[in-house]
Amino acid sequence: VRHTLSVLPVGEAVPEVFLFDFTGNLYGKTVEVIFHPRLREEEAFRNARELTQAIEKDVAEASRYFATRNKQTGTPVSKKALQ
């Protein structure tokens, strides 16, 4: 899902990935992305405030999803897995 303030032309899919609790530089690195359930459909926002609110809601929902999933599977999220 691309967070946008305007409608973008239909074209090639461009995934955007948010890494929780990660600081570092991944430019030039290869990363593996595993898709999980979609939070919501792509949408255009009227202004930056609406966009910011949607991102904050997405982050909170994704955090709950991974916290619950990690408890169920016993698999902690590892920063080392991203290095």
Side-chain angles (χ1 to χ4, degrees):
V1 173
R2 297 174 73 176
H3 298 289
T4 63
L5 291 171
S6 61
V7 177
L8 299 175
V10 176
E12 185 178 320
V14 180
E16 292 184 6
V17 179
F18 185 92
L19 301 176
F20 291 96
D21 302 320
F22 177 80
T23 56
N25 186 347
L26 295 176
Y27 283 98
K29 307 272 186 190
T30 300
V31 297
E32 179 180 356
V33 176
I34 300 170
F35 290 92
H36 293 270
R38 178 178 268 189
L39 295 174
R40 62 177 168 78
E41 294 298 320
E42 185 172 345
E43 61 185 283
F45 299 95
R46 293 179 292 184
N47 55 55
R49 183 170 186 242
E50 285 185 3
L51 170 61
T52 300
Q53 289 172 335
I55 292 171
E56 289 170 353
K57 183 179 175 187
D58 292 347
V59 168
E61 188 173 337
S63 294
R64 282 190 300 274
Y65 168 80
F66 284 110
T68 300
R69 184 176 184 277
N70 293 339
K71 285 180 186 177
Q72 291 171 347
T73 63
T75 307
V77 174
S78 171
K79 291 180 188 178
K80 288 194 176 227
L82 299 173
Q83 296 176 346

